[in-house]
């Protein structure tokens, strides 16, 4: 027990917290000679002489990021304030001179001469031509669709008014009708204009519903429950841009699939659910076709669809009011359905994002950078007590 008492006396004489005259700048000469001294640990930055190792900063401790300081744009405590720093993270000569109190030097900007401006005109024109039509300030897709759809409706109204004026009255005699229509051609400008309007509506509808993008699911072995998914041949290093097939090929494949489905339905056969063979699983992946319509085409389809063109053909002087009401109802119904479905998709995306955010905030982020601190304990040879010697 003598060794234990000796160690306690040594500790009280060297590092007692009750000593009021202790100073952080104490020299080794103030230590009583002849007594063993516990060496000070190296590699650790100590804040105070009487502080515990647990309260000192650790090299492996994780300090949480100060989001409030980042949102309020506070200057960092270890560097130059952000308002006095130049772009790119480097301090320019003007900033350093202004901080030292000397007047800042004005930056010199070289201006182009007239010769350089004139010689650069052809290159600017070529650049603008290469950017056409992306550099043309066009209106929004909704505005463009409203203008184009309203113009098509106006053209069809003019066609129907012209056809109604050239039509004969129903109370005319057969002979009078033959006499009045003698020498008049049945083919006038309204016929090609009507065909053009119908073709424009059908073309827009076909273009809207045939815009797709292809995606390949390389990590999905099980079949996807989607009618737009199919297995295709693909190599492991096939990372080229996927191009959808042409419209003619898609129409031909769709007609063939419709014919096969029709005969299977007549013969009472079940749909084919054949999966790729096991020998080709490594070279066959699932390809998913996703419909990607544009805003302009969708809005134009709502305003002037093939149904509107057919309703205009059935419009005459006796039913034009009810036909206009039907056309307006069809347009409003399509537009409402489109906007409601877009809102539904956005709400689902927001809900899914919030679910992932709650999962990250509750489980992922607290476990990424946990706050830790090192606690070290050091002893001296004189503090070791051998119970077998007492």
């Amino acid at each position: 027990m003598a060794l234990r008492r000796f160690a306690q006396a040594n500790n009280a004489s060297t590092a007692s917290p009750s000593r009021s005259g202790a100073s952080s700048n104490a020299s080794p000469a103030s230590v009583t000679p002849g007594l063993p001294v516990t060496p000070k640990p190296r590699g650790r930055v100590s804040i105070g002489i009487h502080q515990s190792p647990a309260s000192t900063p650790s090299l492996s401790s994780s300090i949480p990021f100060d989001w409030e300081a980042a949102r309020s744009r506070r200057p960092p405590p270890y560097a130059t304030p952000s308002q006095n720093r130049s772009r790119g993270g480097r301090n320019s000569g003007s900033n350093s001179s202004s901080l030292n109190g000397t007047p800042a030097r004005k930056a010199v900007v070289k201006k182009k001469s007239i010769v350089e401006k004139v010689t650069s005109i052809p290159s600017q024109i070529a650049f603008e031509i290469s950017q056409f039509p992306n550099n043309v300030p066009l209106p929004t897709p909704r505005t463009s669709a409203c203008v184009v759809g309203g113009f098509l409706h106006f053209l069809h109204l003019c066609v129907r008014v012209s056809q109604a004026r050239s039509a004969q009255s129903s109370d005319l005699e057969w002979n009078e009708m033959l006499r009045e229509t003698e020498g008049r051609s049945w083919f006038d400008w309204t016929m090609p204009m009507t065909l053009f309007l119908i073709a424009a509506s059908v073309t827009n509808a076909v273009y809207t519903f045939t815009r797709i993008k292809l995606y390949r699911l390389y990590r999905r072995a099980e079949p996807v429950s989607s009618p737009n998914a199919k297995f295709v041949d693909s190599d492991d290093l096939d990372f080229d841009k996927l191009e959808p097939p042409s419209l003619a090929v898609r129409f031909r494949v769709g007609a063939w699939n419709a014919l096969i489905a029709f005969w299977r339905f007549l013969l009472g056969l079940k749909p084919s659910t054949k999966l790729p063979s096991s020998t080709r699983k490594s070279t066959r992946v699932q390809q998913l076709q996703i419909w990607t319509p544009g805003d302009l085409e969708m809005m134009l389809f709502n305003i002037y669809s093939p149904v509107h063109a057919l309703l205009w053909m059935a419009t005459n002087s006796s039913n034009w009011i009810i036909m206009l009401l039907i056309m307006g109802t069809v347009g409003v119904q399509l537009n409402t359905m489109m906007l409601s479905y877009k809102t539904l998709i956005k709400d689902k995306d927001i809900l899914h994002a919030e679910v992932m955010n709650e999962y990250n905030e509750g489980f992922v982020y607290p476990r990424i950078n946990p706050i830790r601190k090192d606690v070290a304990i050091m002893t001296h040879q004189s503090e070791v007590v051998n119970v077998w010697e007492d």
Side-chain angles (χ1 to χ4, degrees):
M1 298 302 291
L3 292 177
R4 185 184 297 274
R5 288 193 295 271
F6 178 75
Q8 291 176 356
N10 181 27
N11 185 23
S13 62
T14 57
S16 177
S18 61
R19 295 177 59 185
S20 60
S23 174
S24 60
N25 297 326
S27 61
S30 61
V31 180
T32 305
L35 295 178
V37 180
T38 303
K40 187 176 181 180
R42 297 182 180 180
R44 177 181 294 274
V45 180
S46 60
I47 299 177
I49 193 172
H50 303 303
Q51 290 185 356
S52 172
S55 61
T56 59
S58 174
L59 298 178
S60 62
S61 61
S62 300
I63 301 176
F65 188 77
D66 194 353
W67 289 104
E68 295 296 333
R71 292 190 184 98
S72 59
R73 299 183 182 274
R74 300 176 188 170
Y78 48 84
T80 307
S82 58
Q83 60 266 21
N84 294 330
R85 298 176 65 184
S86 60
R87 288 184 180 177
R90 299 190 307 175
N91 294 332
S92 60
S94 60
N95 291 339
S96 60
S97 61
S98 62
L99 291 176
N100 296 331
T102 59
R105 183 176 56 183
K106 293 184 179 180
V108 179
V109 180
K110 182 181 178 181
K111 296 183 179 180
K112 291 184 178 180
S113 61
I114 300 178
V115 178
E116 292 177 350
K117 292 180 180 180
V118 172
T119 54
S120 63
I121 290 177
S123 61
Q124 293 180 0
I125 295 176
F127 177 74
E128 295 295 336
I129 293 175
S130 64
Q131 296 295 321
F132 184 82
N134 297 326
N135 55 354
V136 178
L138 298 176
T140 60
R142 186 179 184 88
T143 305
S144 302
C146 292
V147 172
V148 175
F151 180 70
L152 293 178
H153 276 289
F154 177 73
L155 282 181
H156 221 146
L157 175 62
C158 294
V159 169
R160 292 306 299 163
V161 170
S162 179
Q163 290 177 352
R165 287 182 178 179
S166 61
Q168 299 295 330
S169 307
S170 60
D171 56 348
L172 290 177
E173 300 270 339
W174 178 254
N175 294 332
E176 293 180 358
M177 290 178 61
L178 291 177
R179 187 170 57 254
E180 290 183 1
T181 57
E182 227 175 28
R184 180 179 298 177
S185 175
W186 64 273
F187 187 84
D188 55 357
W189 69 274
T190 58
M191 182 62 66
M193 186 57 67
T194 303
L195 296 177
F196 168 75
L197 293 172
I198 296 176
S201 62
V202 173
T203 303
N204 179 67
V206 172
Y207 179 74
T208 301
F209 289 99
T210 54
R211 293 189 61 180
I212 60 173
K213 282 187 178 180
L214 302 181
Y215 296 91
R216 289 184 178 177
L217 312 178
Y218 290 96
R219 302 294 181 180
R220 185 66 178 265
E222 296 80 10
V224 181
S225 59
S226 174
N228 298 325
K230 62 180 180 180
F231 284 91
V232 295
D233 295 333
S234 176
D235 298 332
D236 294 336
L237 300 178
D238 186 12
F239 295 106
D240 297 336
K241 184 178 180 181
L242 298 178
E243 295 290 343
S246 61
L247 191 59
V249 174
R250 280 186 278 173
F251 271 117
R252 185 171 65 250
V253 173
W256 176 255
N257 292 336
L259 181 62
I260 295 298
F262 173 73
W263 283 106
R264 284 183 177 276
F265 175 75
L266 290 181
L267 299 177
L269 301 178
K270 295 182 179 180
S272 177
T273 58
K274 185 178 179 181
L275 298 178
S277 59
S278 59
T279 59
R280 303 190 65 183
K281 281 185 178 180
S282 59
T283 59
R284 289 179 68 87
V285 297
Q286 292 187 83
Q287 181 173 283
L288 186 63
Q289 297 181 0
I290 296 182
W291 180 42
T292 57
D295 296 334
L296 176 62
E297 296 83 14
M298 284 294 296
M299 196 63 192
L300 184 58
F301 179 79
N302 295 337
I303 297 175
Y304 190 80
S305 64
V307 177
H308 293 88
L310 295 178
L311 289 175
W312 272 115
M313 292 184 63
T315 304
N316 51 36
S317 58
S318 61
N319 62 353
W320 64 272
I321 297 179
I322 187 64
M323 287 298 177
L324 291 179
L325 290 177
I326 293 175
M327 283 188 283
T329 304
V330 171
V332 171
Q333 181 179 357
L334 290 175
N335 194 16
T336 305
M337 180 62 68
M338 182 191 70
L339 294 179
S340 300
Y341 191 72
K342 282 186 175 181
T343 306
L344 174 63
I345 294 178
K346 290 181 180 179
D347 293 343
K348 284 186 176 181
D349 293 341
I350 293 174
L351 181 61
H352 296 163
E354 184 60 27
V355 169
M356 294 301 299
N357 184 33
E358 291 181 0
Y359 177 76
N360 293 335
E361 294 289 342
F363 298 97
V364 179
Y365 294 155
R367 289 166 175 79
I368 291 179
N369 295 318
I371 301 176
R372 297 188 179 95
K373 58 183 179 181
D374 294 342
V375 178
I377 299 175
M378 298 187 64
T379 60
H380 192 262
Q381 185 178 2
S382 62
E383 299 177 357
V384 178
V385 178
N386 191 355
V387 297
W388 303 106
E389 294 181 358
D390 193 4

